[in-house]
């Protein structure tokens, strides 16, 4: 699956305004693919943003983010030193992935009929993290690097095998780091480790959903394109993003261990 998207540089003013709100609300200087894909579908980005914006602005999404991350246990990896910029990139993905997982899970479950509950405690979004380098495309990578990235993606066992998690692509700015990942991530990327980490992240996000639903804005009328978007939203909130949450948290632990 190659998702159509509106890249940040190509966004029309109304889309660019929402992208800016997302960056501010999540606290990262990039917009996740699921939002960029939604922007390419008539009415879908507006439908998502109307619900997500209040939860991001109130701190409810940040509070859920912190609780979700705390509930996802990951194995300790071997300490590893990394070049400047790697730790910041991984932190960008951790903050973005966990925040998006919480908010988008709440939106998905509310659309399926889940009622809101008592709002959870809020938290600060955090200072804006540095802007990452440009995201490379798999087809543009040197063949040996592309092979490693594709092999890492394959180990996630996604129901759509064409999806390549963006963190792996972004880390190719440091080929020496990518070369370490197959061995370093072995405890997290075993079949059992992938399933356990993903399921823990899904469960943590779904536990936060009632409180986040209470913090969402009113849901607008569903656009016609929502029917086509719903399977992708399920894929990203049940497989793609929760599969990467344990990876990012484990890598952060490895980098701290090396410090």
């Amino acid at each position: 699956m190659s998702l159509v998207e509106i890249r940040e540089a190509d966004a029309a003013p109304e889309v660019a305004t929402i992208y800016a709100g997302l960056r501010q609300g999540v606290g990262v200087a990039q917009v996740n693919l699921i939002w960029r894909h939604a922007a390419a579908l008539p009415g879908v980005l507006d439908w998502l943003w109307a619900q997500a914006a209040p939860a991001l602005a109130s701190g409810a999404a940040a509070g859920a983010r912190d609780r979700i991350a705390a509930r996802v246990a990951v194995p300790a990896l071997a300490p590893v030193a990394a070049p400047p910029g790697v730790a910041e990139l991984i932190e960008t993905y951790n903050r973005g992935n966990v925040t998006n997982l919480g908010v988008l899970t709440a939106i998905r479950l509310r659309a399926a009929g889940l009622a809101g509950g008592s709002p959870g405690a809020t938290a600060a979004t955090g200072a804006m993290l540095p802007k990452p380098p440009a995201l490379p495309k798999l087809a543009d990578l040197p063949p040996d690097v592309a092979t490693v990235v594709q092999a890492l993606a394959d180990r996630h066992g996604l129901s759509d095998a064409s999806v390549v998690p963006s963190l792996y692509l972004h880390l190719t700015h440091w080929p020496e780091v990518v070369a370490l990942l197959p061995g370093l991530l072995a405890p997290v990327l075993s079949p059992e480790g992938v399933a356990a980490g993903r399921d823990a992240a899904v469960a943590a996000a779904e536990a936060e959903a009632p409180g986040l639903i209470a913090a969402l804005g009113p849901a607008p009328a569903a656009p016609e394109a929502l029917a086509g978007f719903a399977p992708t939203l399920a894929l990203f909130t049940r497989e793609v993003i929760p599969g990467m949450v344990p990876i990012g948290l484990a890598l952060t632990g490895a980098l701290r261990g090396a410090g």
Side-chain angles (χ1 to χ4, degrees), residues 74-78 187 250:
V74 296
L77 305 183

Side-chain angles (χ1 to χ4, degrees), residues 162-183:
S162 69
V163 174
V164 176
S166 296
L167 176 59
Y168 297 142
L169 290 169
H170 239 143
L171 284 171
T172 61
H173 283 282
W174 300 274
E176 69 277 22
V177 174
V178 173
L180 294 174
L181 294 181

Side-chain angles (χ1 to χ4, degrees), residues 55-194:
L56 292 169
S58 68
R65 172 201 69 199
D66 293 347
R67 292 187 293 274
I68 291 168
R71 291 183 58 183
V72 179
V74 296
L77 305 183
V80 61
V86 171
E88 291 83 358
L89 177 68
I90 293 170
E91 180 55 29
T92 290
Y93 273 88
N94 287 346
R95 185 184 291 183
N97 279 338
V98 183
T99 305
N100 283 310
L101 177 61
V103 170
L104 293 172
T105 294
I107 292 173
R108 174 176 62 82
L109 292 179
R110 179 162 79 169
L114 183 66
S118 300
T122 62
T125 298
M128 180 71 68
L129 293 170
K131 184 176 181 178
L135 178 64
K137 296 181 179 179
L138 184 67
D140 296 336
L141 298 176
D144 57 331
V145 177
T147 297
V148 175
V149 169
Q150 185 63 63
L152 290 166
D154 291 345
R155 289 168 74 175
H156 284 258
L158 298 172
S159 58
D160 187 329
S162 69
V163 174
V164 176
S166 296
L167 176 59
Y168 297 142
L169 290 169
H170 239 143
L171 284 171
T172 61
H173 283 282
W174 300 274
E176 69 277 22
V177 174
V178 173
L180 294 174
L181 294 181
L184 179 66
L185 292 174
V188 198
L189 284 179
S190 67
E192 298 80 9
V194 167

Side-chain angles (χ1 to χ4, degrees), residues 30 43 48 61 65 108 116 120 161 176 192 224 239 243-244 253-254 257:
Q30 66 178 15
L48 288 174
R65 172 201 69 199
R108 174 176 62 82
E176 69 277 22
E192 298 80 9
E224 290 185 10
E239 295 185 46
M244 289 307 296

